[in-house]
Amino acid sequence: MTTHKNLLGGPDPTHLPENEDAYRMLGEESLAPAEVAAKHPTFSLAWAMLADDAFEAGRVVESYAYARTGYHRGLDQLRRSGWKGHGPIPWDHRANRGFLRCLAALARAADSVGEKDEAERCWQFLQDSSAEAYAALKR
């Protein structure tokens, strides 16, 4: 595998660790996101799915809480993976998608409960972290 040095001087992309057991539980075992989150509370994708489901059902405060939980769990993992508070978090890396989805869900829910400043900060954070995720998730 060839790696390329970032010629712009910014931080290298951060790639969160994969959790094959959690993906298997969601996929092959067809467990509900709540069951996966209970067994793997650091798995942001389960929290993102819970946030999306709650939002679509009109349970905005619940969505906000799920998204915030997954966002903070993802931040913890990012820091453990060497992230220093800024830099790319690539959308094309499967394990990053849960965190990025939680960030978008938090922005959407914050906007819905009148937290406009938080919503704008979250959308900006998403765009700064991954233009691809921003394009895919901004609704």
Side-chain angles (χ1 to χ4, degrees):
M1 173 185 214
T2 302
T3 57
H4 301 281
K5 181 172 172 50
N6 183 341
L7 300 177
L8 299 176
D12 289 332
T14 302
H15 297 93
L16 293 173
E18 296 283 354
N19 184 332
E20 295 302 331
D21 189 46
Y23 286 116
R24 182 184 49 73
M25 293 169 89
L26 282 174
E28 294 170 27
E29 295 183 24
S30 300
L31 292 182
E35 293 176 272
V36 177
K39 293 177 192 277
H40 295 280
T42 63
F43 187 61
S44 290
L45 180 59
W47 295 106
M49 295 170 77
L50 288 166
D52 289 346
D53 290 347
F55 191 85
E56 290 170 15
R59 300 185 320 269
V60 177
V61 172
E62 232 178 278
S63 177
Y64 183 91
Y66 288 136
R68 182 160 290 288
T69 300
Y71 165 79
H72 281 288
R73 289 308 191 104
L75 282 178
D76 291 343
Q77 285 190 324
L78 283 167
R79 290 181 184 116
R80 282 193 298 275
S81 297
W83 185 75
K84 303 290 187 214
H86 68 284
I89 305 168
W91 174 248
D92 64 358
H93 180 65
R94 178 177 74 159
N96 290 352
R97 287 188 174 204
F99 170 76
L100 295 167
R101 283 183 55 184
C102 281
L103 185 53
L106 183 57
R108 183 183 61 229
D111 187 56
S112 292
V113 298
E115 290 285 338
K116 303 298 182 198
D117 290 344
E118 181 179 23
E120 289 174 17
R121 280 191 306 274
C122 289
W123 285 125
Q124 188 62 56
F125 182 12
L126 181 64
Q127 188 172 30
D128 292 346
S129 299
S130 171
E132 294 83 9
Y134 182 82
L137 300 171
K138 179 81 164 115
R139 306 178 207 165

Tab-separated table of all heavy atoms in Angstrom, residues 37-72:
chain	number	residue	atom	x	y	z
A	37	ALA	N	-26.175	-0.889	19.906
A	37	ALA	CA	-25.640	0.187	20.748
A	37	ALA	C	-25.458	-0.292	22.188
A	37	ALA	O	-24.485	0.087	22.852
A	37	ALA	CB	-26.557	1.408	20.705
A	38	ALA	N	-26.371	-1.124	22.666
A	38	ALA	CA	-26.260	-1.638	24.033
A	38	ALA	C	-25.058	-2.570	24.184
A	38	ALA	O	-24.405	-2.581	25.231
A	38	ALA	CB	-27.546	-2.367	24.427
A	39	LYS	N	-24.758	-3.328	23.148
A	39	LYS	CA	-23.638	-4.272	23.206
A	39	LYS	C	-22.304	-3.618	22.821
A	39	LYS	O	-21.246	-4.067	23.249
A	39	LYS	CB	-23.908	-5.469	22.299
A	39	LYS	CG	-25.056	-6.327	22.793
A	39	LYS	CD	-25.330	-7.457	21.826
A	39	LYS	CE	-26.620	-8.157	22.115
A	39	LYS	NZ	-26.603	-9.151	23.115
A	40	HIS	N	-22.381	-2.566	22.003
A	40	HIS	CA	-21.189	-1.852	21.522
A	40	HIS	C	-21.444	-0.339	21.635
A	40	HIS	O	-21.663	0.331	20.626
A	40	HIS	CB	-20.881	-2.227	20.064
A	40	HIS	CG	-20.495	-3.648	19.883
A	40	HIS	ND1	-19.223	-4.101	20.152
A	40	HIS	CD2	-21.215	-4.722	19.485
A	40	HIS	CE1	-19.178	-5.400	19.912
A	40	HIS	NE2	-20.369	-5.801	19.511
A	41	PRO	N	-21.435	0.199	22.831
A	41	PRO	CA	-21.796	1.613	23.016
A	41	PRO	C	-20.849	2.613	22.351
A	41	PRO	O	-21.210	3.775	22.188
A	41	PRO	CB	-21.824	1.793	24.528
A	41	PRO	CG	-21.168	0.613	25.108
A	41	PRO	CD	-21.185	-0.476	24.097
A	42	THR	N	-19.673	2.173	21.926
A	42	THR	CA	-18.762	3.087	21.229
A	42	THR	C	-18.965	3.061	19.718
A	42	THR	O	-18.284	3.791	18.991
A	42	THR	CB	-17.287	2.751	21.536
A	42	THR	OG1	-17.002	1.445	21.046
A	42	THR	CG2	-16.998	2.841	23.025
A	43	PHE	N	-19.891	2.264	19.225
A	43	PHE	CA	-20.139	2.102	17.789
A	43	PHE	C	-21.105	3.194	17.313
A	43	PHE	O	-22.324	3.061	17.423
A	43	PHE	CB	-20.701	0.698	17.530
A	43	PHE	CG	-20.850	0.337	16.082
A	43	PHE	CD1	-19.759	0.302	15.240
A	43	PHE	CD2	-22.088	0.003	15.582
A	43	PHE	CE1	-19.894	-0.056	13.903
A	43	PHE	CE2	-22.247	-0.357	14.252
A	43	PHE	CZ	-21.141	-0.389	13.413
A	44	SER	N	-20.557	4.275	16.780
A	44	SER	CA	-21.352	5.454	16.418
A	44	SER	C	-22.417	5.180	15.369
A	44	SER	O	-23.455	5.848	15.357
A	44	SER	CB	-20.438	6.586	15.939
A	44	SER	OG	-19.692	7.104	17.005
A	45	LEU	N	-22.187	4.224	14.486
A	45	LEU	CA	-23.192	3.958	13.455
A	45	LEU	C	-24.534	3.560	14.065
A	45	LEU	O	-25.589	4.001	13.597
A	45	LEU	CB	-22.708	2.877	12.480
A	45	LEU	CG	-23.684	2.530	11.363
A	45	LEU	CD1	-24.022	3.753	10.509
A	45	LEU	CD2	-23.134	1.394	10.514
A	46	ALA	N	-24.528	2.764	15.119
A	46	ALA	CA	-25.791	2.378	15.764
A	46	ALA	C	-26.499	3.610	16.314
A	46	ALA	O	-27.724	3.744	16.175
A	46	ALA	CB	-25.536	1.363	16.873
A	47	TRP	N	-25.741	4.533	16.923
A	47	TRP	CA	-26.338	5.767	17.450
A	47	TRP	C	-26.877	6.640	16.313
A	47	TRP	O	-27.949	7.254	16.453
A	47	TRP	CB	-25.324	6.537	18.279
A	47	TRP	CG	-24.905	5.805	19.506
A	47	TRP	CD1	-23.707	5.178	19.725
A	47	TRP	CD2	-25.688	5.582	20.682
A	47	TRP	NE1	-23.701	4.587	20.970
A	47	TRP	CE2	-24.903	4.821	21.576
A	47	TRP	CE3	-26.973	5.952	21.065
A	47	TRP	CZ2	-25.359	4.428	22.831
A	47	TRP	CZ3	-27.432	5.560	22.310
A	47	TRP	CH2	-26.637	4.805	23.178
A	48	ALA	N	-26.165	6.679	15.199
A	48	ALA	CA	-26.639	7.448	14.042
A	48	ALA	C	-27.947	6.882	13.513
A	48	ALA	O	-28.873	7.634	13.167
A	48	ALA	CB	-25.576	7.451	12.947
A	49	MET	N	-28.038	5.563	13.439
A	49	MET	CA	-29.272	4.929	12.968
A	49	MET	C	-30.424	5.223	13.916
A	49	MET	O	-31.553	5.517	13.468
A	49	MET	CB	-29.044	3.426	12.815
A	49	MET	CG	-28.033	3.094	11.728
A	49	MET	SD	-27.539	1.356	11.725
A	49	MET	CE	-28.992	0.640	10.946
A	50	LEU	N	-30.159	5.163	15.216
A	50	LEU	CA	-31.195	5.499	16.202
A	50	LEU	C	-31.632	6.959	16.055
A	50	LEU	O	-32.829	7.264	16.116
A	50	LEU	CB	-30.679	5.245	17.619
A	50	LEU	CG	-30.530	3.779	18.014
A	50	LEU	CD1	-29.698	3.645	19.284
A	50	LEU	CD2	-31.904	3.137	18.186
A	51	ALA	N	-30.667	7.849	15.853
A	51	ALA	CA	-30.982	9.272	15.687
A	51	ALA	C	-31.827	9.498	14.443
A	51	ALA	O	-32.809	10.252	14.480
A	51	ALA	CB	-29.688	10.091	15.614
A	52	ASP	N	-31.461	8.858	13.344
A	52	ASP	CA	-32.214	9.018	12.099
A	52	ASP	C	-33.635	8.479	12.239
A	52	ASP	O	-34.603	9.125	11.809
A	52	ASP	CB	-31.508	8.316	10.944
A	52	ASP	CG	-30.233	9.014	10.508
A	52	ASP	OD1	-30.003	10.184	10.890
A	52	ASP	OD2	-29.441	8.375	9.779
A	53	ASP	N	-33.767	7.299	12.843
A	53	ASP	CA	-35.100	6.704	13.032
A	53	ASP	C	-35.987	7.597	13.905
A	53	ASP	O	-37.158	7.821	13.593
A	53	ASP	CB	-34.995	5.314	13.659
A	53	ASP	CG	-34.405	4.274	12.717
A	53	ASP	OD1	-34.289	4.543	11.495
A	53	ASP	OD2	-34.035	3.186	13.213
A	54	ALA	N	-35.420	8.103	14.989
A	54	ALA	CA	-36.196	8.966	15.888
A	54	ALA	C	-36.604	10.258	15.177
A	54	ALA	O	-37.744	10.710	15.303
A	54	ALA	CB	-35.390	9.282	17.155
A	55	PHE	N	-35.692	10.840	14.422
A	55	PHE	CA	-36.001	12.086	13.718
A	55	PHE	C	-37.128	11.877	12.707
A	55	PHE	O	-38.067	12.672	12.638
A	55	PHE	CB	-34.749	12.637	13.018
A	55	PHE	CG	-34.923	14.035	12.508
A	55	PHE	CD1	-34.719	15.121	13.347
A	55	PHE	CD2	-35.307	14.274	11.202
A	55	PHE	CE1	-34.890	16.418	12.894
A	55	PHE	CE2	-35.487	15.560	10.728
A	55	PHE	CZ	-35.278	16.636	11.582
A	56	GLU	N	-37.014	10.800	11.941
A	56	GLU	CA	-38.047	10.505	10.935
A	56	GLU	C	-39.403	10.239	11.572
A	56	GLU	O	-40.431	10.484	10.952
A	56	GLU	CB	-37.608	9.328	10.072
A	56	GLU	CG	-36.458	9.694	9.146
A	56	GLU	CD	-35.843	8.496	8.445
A	56	GLU	OE1	-36.457	7.404	8.443
A	56	GLU	OE2	-34.731	8.658	7.922
A	57	ALA	N	-39.419	9.777	12.820
A	57	ALA	CA	-40.672	9.514	13.533
A	57	ALA	C	-41.166	10.750	14.289
A	57	ALA	O	-42.176	10.660	14.994
A	57	ALA	CB	-40.479	8.351	14.506
A	58	GLY	N	-40.462	11.866	14.146
A	58	GLY	CA	-40.894	13.102	14.800
A	58	GLY	C	-40.445	13.232	16.246
A	58	GLY	O	-40.891	14.129	16.958
A	59	ARG	N	-39.578	12.355	16.693
A	59	ARG	CA	-39.073	12.400	18.071
A	59	ARG	C	-37.732	13.131	18.075
A	59	ARG	O	-36.671	12.526	18.219
A	59	ARG	CB	-38.961	10.981	18.632
A	59	ARG	CG	-40.303	10.245	18.664
A	59	ARG	CD	-40.238	8.871	19.345
A	59	ARG	NE	-39.061	8.096	19.054
A	59	ARG	CZ	-38.939	7.208	18.048
A	59	ARG	NH1	-39.966	7.008	17.215
A	59	ARG	NH2	-37.824	6.531	17.880
A	60	VAL	N	-37.801	14.447	17.906
A	60	VAL	CA	-36.613	15.260	17.670
A	60	VAL	C	-35.686	15.300	18.885
A	60	VAL	O	-34.463	15.221	18.738
A	60	VAL	CB	-37.018	16.686	17.228
A	60	VAL	CG1	-35.797	17.570	17.045
A	60	VAL	CG2	-37.830	16.633	15.948
A	61	VAL	N	-36.228	15.398	20.079
A	61	VAL	CA	-35.382	15.448	21.278
A	61	VAL	C	-34.643	14.118	21.442
A	61	VAL	O	-33.451	14.093	21.775
A	61	VAL	CB	-36.213	15.814	22.528
A	61	VAL	CG1	-35.395	15.676	23.790
A	61	VAL	CG2	-36.762	17.227	22.388
A	62	GLU	N	-35.332	13.029	21.186
A	62	GLU	CA	-34.695	11.710	21.228
A	62	GLU	C	-33.578	11.626	20.195
A	62	GLU	O	-32.481	11.128	20.475
A	62	GLU	CB	-35.747	10.638	20.905
A	62	GLU	CG	-35.827	9.520	21.890
A	62	GLU	CD	-36.934	8.560	21.476
A	62	GLU	OE1	-38.104	8.835	21.765
A	62	GLU	OE2	-36.591	7.522	20.852
A	63	SER	N	-33.854	12.116	18.990
A	63	SER	CA	-32.861	12.126	17.929
A	63	SER	C	-31.627	12.915	18.347
A	63	SER	O	-30.492	12.474	18.145
A	63	SER	CB	-33.464	12.720	16.656
A	63	SER	OG	-32.495	12.803	15.634
A	64	TYR	N	-31.872	14.067	18.954
A	64	TYR	CA	-30.775	14.918	19.442
A	64	TYR	C	-29.925	14.156	20.454
A	64	TYR	O	-28.690	14.168	20.385
A	64	TYR	CB	-31.376	16.181	20.058
A	64	TYR	CG	-30.387	17.199	20.535
A	64	TYR	CD1	-29.947	18.220	19.692
A	64	TYR	CD2	-29.891	17.173	21.836
A	64	TYR	CE1	-29.041	19.168	20.132
A	64	TYR	CE2	-28.992	18.118	22.281
A	64	TYR	CZ	-28.570	19.115	21.427
A	64	TYR	OH	-27.670	20.048	21.864
A	65	ALA	N	-30.567	13.464	21.379
A	65	ALA	CA	-29.839	12.718	22.414
A	65	ALA	C	-29.030	11.568	21.814
A	65	ALA	O	-27.866	11.357	22.184
A	65	ALA	CB	-30.812	12.199	23.462
A	66	TYR	N	-29.625	10.815	20.898
A	66	TYR	CA	-28.895	9.721	20.252
A	66	TYR	C	-27.703	10.265	19.465
A	66	TYR	O	-26.601	9.717	19.529
A	66	TYR	CB	-29.802	8.935	19.304
A	66	TYR	CG	-30.831	8.058	19.963
A	66	TYR	CD1	-32.145	8.036	19.489
A	66	TYR	CD2	-30.499	7.209	21.012
A	66	TYR	CE1	-33.099	7.214	20.053
A	66	TYR	CE2	-31.452	6.382	21.595
A	66	TYR	CZ	-32.751	6.388	21.103
A	66	TYR	OH	-33.688	5.560	21.654
A	67	ALA	N	-27.940	11.324	18.698
A	67	ALA	CA	-26.875	11.900	17.877
A	67	ALA	C	-25.733	12.428	18.748
A	67	ALA	O	-24.563	12.224	18.441
A	67	ALA	CB	-27.429	13.013	16.993
A	68	ARG	N	-26.072	13.082	19.843
A	68	ARG	CA	-25.042	13.623	20.735
A	68	ARG	C	-24.230	12.490	21.365
A	68	ARG	O	-23.019	12.583	21.489
A	68	ARG	CB	-25.666	14.504	21.813
A	68	ARG	CG	-24.606	15.117	22.726
A	68	ARG	CD	-25.094	16.323	23.475
A	68	ARG	NE	-25.322	17.495	22.674
A	68	ARG	CZ	-24.356	18.253	22.138
A	68	ARG	NH1	-23.099	17.925	22.288
A	68	ARG	NH2	-24.660	19.324	21.465
A	69	THR	N	-24.884	11.404	21.731
A	69	THR	CA	-24.168	10.260	22.305
A	69	THR	C	-23.185	9.686	21.287
A	69	THR	O	-21.997	9.489	21.599
A	69	THR	CB	-25.157	9.176	22.761
A	69	THR	OG1	-26.022	9.728	23.749
A	69	THR	CG2	-24.436	7.967	23.325
A	70	GLY	N	-23.647	9.429	20.074
A	70	GLY	CA	-22.768	8.883	19.041
A	70	GLY	C	-21.653	9.834	18.655
A	70	GLY	O	-20.522	9.407	18.387
A	71	TYR	N	-21.956	11.117	18.644
A	71	TYR	CA	-20.954	12.145	18.336
A	71	TYR	C	-19.840	12.126	19.383
A	71	TYR	O	-18.657	12.082	19.050
A	71	TYR	CB	-21.657	13.507	18.292
A	71	TYR	CG	-20.753	14.701	18.345
A	71	TYR	CD1	-20.074	15.137	17.207
A	71	TYR	CD2	-20.583	15.418	19.526
A	71	TYR	CE1	-19.246	16.254	17.257
A	71	TYR	CE2	-19.774	16.532	19.583
A	71	TYR	CZ	-19.099	16.941	18.445
A	71	TYR	OH	-18.283	18.044	18.495
A	72	HIS	N	-20.203	12.115	20.654
A	72	HIS	CA	-19.185	12.125	21.708
A	72	HIS	C	-18.396	10.815	21.751
A	72	HIS	O	-17.180	10.830	21.976
A	72	HIS	CB	-19.805	12.451	23.069
A	72	HIS	CG	-20.045	13.908	23.223
A	72	HIS	ND1	-19.026	14.811	23.399
A	72	HIS	CD2	-21.191	14.630	23.186
A	72	HIS	CE1	-19.528	16.028	23.472
A	72	HIS	NE2	-20.846	15.953	23.340
